[in-house]
Amino acid sequence: MSTDVTSPTGSVRPAETGAATARAFPNLALVKYWGKRDESLILPVAGSLSLTLDTFAATTTVQLDPAGEQDRFELNGHLATGTARDRVTTFLDLVRSRAGSQSRAIVRSVNEAPTGAGLASSAAGFAALATAASAAYGLELDTPALSRLARRGSGSAARSIIANVALWHAGTDDESSFAEEIPAPELAMVIATVDSSAKAVSSREAMRRTARTSPYFVAWITSTEASLTEMVAACRAGDFTQIGEITESHALRMHALIASTEPPIRYLRPASIEVLDAVVALRDAGIEAYATADAGPNVAVLTRPADAAAVATRLGEILGEDHVRVVGPGPGAHLVPDPVPPAGEAGT
Ligand code: PMV
């Protein structure tokens, strides 16, 4: 068991024990990341902006295992194999090469996002892994450096390092592509889970197909850059209406882009469209609500905190209240004292 010490900034670091635990939250993009200009460095074709949430954390312990022959990855109390384990090992190889270490590791992770909530994305997972692994391997990284590192696991993870509203600069190389917090008015999200089955095409594959086959891809890049500039200005000005309008139009543009691939991909389902219509009706009734959706059928509705309950009530009438959840702005990835227990022990 590691001896934890609390640093002057209040974060908890392992004292040369080779073990650390970190917690990170998912984020929902208001200006979306869709498309890579560099697949291995994970540099996006354009910048993006998101809200880090206060719900559905991923908590990850990384414990060095110098005698181990390979990394061990336990997710939600089960030993992970195949692609999930390979992605963790590829990521740890990067950390090891920077730390000058050969040591394998045991990684234990618990993801609180319910399967199919549309938030079980890799963002929280890789943000927590980057934070825990860099501490366990003794890398001293500041927040931009952690954001760059998390980006290598999954692009959107660069934003989950950051609290509240995160602006991910597209950048042109590893150094210039990272996220940072920007000021914004207080926001809330109502997450509407319309379908909990696994998505048919991964975002990684769908991004590739988009770049290869969509006739709209160049227009997407230039229009995303314009939307991002307007969005940053709206955040700085505290203009909720403008933030909402850009959020909804940019999400619909992303889904139109994705539908323009060959063969086409459609993530939105009939129930998603029903929620989109309900959001328009809420606005007509004077409640400011704006819809967005990631690479899946579930819809997240951006609203002012004061209106979140009314929006949740309306969407609950359509989907059932179990399918609706109000979330708010959350913290960036951070170290925590309590390790994730090994598979098979209580609490996983
Ligand atoms: O980071 P990835 O590979 O999971 O891609 C995320 C893509 C979207 O969620 C659809 C958009 C975004 O900006 O998060």
Side-chain angles (χ1 to χ4, degrees):
M1 186 65 53
S2 65
T3 316
D4 295 312
V5 292
T6 304
S7 77
T9 54
S11 62
V12 183
R13 284 180 44 81
E16 310 289 323
T17 57
T21 301
R23 198 165 158 80
F25 290 84
N27 67 78
L28 269 166
L30 311 183
V31 173
K32 305 289 188 191
Y33 148 55
W34 195 258
K36 298 175 180 65
R37 60 184 278 167
D38 183 316
E39 285 257 352
S40 89
L41 287 176
I42 312 201
L43 300 177
V45 290
S48 57
L49 183 141
S50 61
L51 181 68
T52 297
L53 308 182
D54 60 359
T55 312
F56 307 136
T59 306
T60 299
T61 295
V62 175
Q63 187 182 322
L64 301 203
D65 181 20
E69 288 186 358
Q70 54 180 8
D71 299 313
R72 180 181 171 88
F73 177 36
E74 294 171 11
L75 178 60
N76 294 337
H78 299 286
L79 186 64
T81 53
T83 315
R85 210 267 313 272
D86 294 349
R87 280 184 78 179
V88 167
T89 287
T90 303
F91 187 80
L92 290 177
D93 285 345
L94 179 64
V95 175
R96 281 188 277 262
S97 74
R98 293 194 185 168
S101 170
Q102 309 279 330
S103 180
R104 299 283 139 189
I106 300 167
V107 177
R108 300 192 172 104
S109 191
V110 173
N111 200 323
E112 292 167 24
T115 311
L119 289 167
S121 92
S122 38
F126 276 104
L129 179 62
T131 306
S134 56
Y137 280 92
L139 295 177
E140 301 256 330
L141 301 183
D142 61 12
T143 304
L146 262 182
S147 176
R148 288 182 198 103
L149 178 63
R151 192 196 79 230
R152 302 289 294 275
S154 179
S156 56
R159 300 184 311 233
S160 275
I161 294 294
I162 309 301
N164 303 320
V165 172
L167 167 62
W168 175 13
H169 302 282
T172 52
D173 58 10
D174 181 53
E175 180 69 18
S176 54
S177 189
F178 64 93
E180 64 177 346
E181 187 177 351
I182 64 159
E186 237 202 292
L187 304 170
M189 284 271 190
V190 182
I191 296 174
T193 307
V194 306
D195 183 338
S196 54
S197 49
K199 59 180 128 167
V201 186
S202 72
S203 49
R204 199 161 273 218
E205 166 53 25
M207 283 186 201
R208 281 192 197 122
R209 193 184 298 177
T210 306
R212 219 175 41 238
T213 67
S214 173
Y216 304 150
F217 193 53
V218 173
W220 162 254
I221 298 169
T222 48
S223 70
T224 297
E225 284 163 351
S227 296
L228 185 62
T229 303
E230 288 167 21
M231 180 63 99
V232 170
C235 285
R236 291 191 192 286
D239 186 340
F240 176 79
T241 302
Q242 178 80 349
I243 292 169
E245 285 175 357
I246 299 167
T247 296
E248 188 165 303
S249 82
H250 195 261
L252 294 176
R253 283 178 187 177
M254 182 184 79
H255 284 275
L257 172 79
I258 293 169
S260 75
T261 57
E262 260 178 49
I265 303 166
R266 273 185 301 114
Y267 286 119
L268 300 177
R269 308 302 309 150
S272 325
I273 306 297
E274 214 181 317
V275 174
L276 296 182
D277 283 345
V279 169
V280 174
L282 278 166
R283 284 203 297 272
D284 289 345
I287 297 176
E288 276 200 76
Y290 300 91
T292 183
D294 281 341
N298 301 315
V299 178
V301 182
L302 183 71
T303 185
R304 290 191 176 93
D307 291 330
V311 172
T313 300
R314 176 66 196 116
L315 300 186
E317 285 163 9
I318 300 171
L319 299 169
E321 56 186 56
D322 293 356
H323 291 79
V324 173
R325 174 110 185 213
V326 176
V327 300
H334 54 280
L335 292 167
V336 293
D338 293 336
V340 174
E345 285 187 21
T348 52

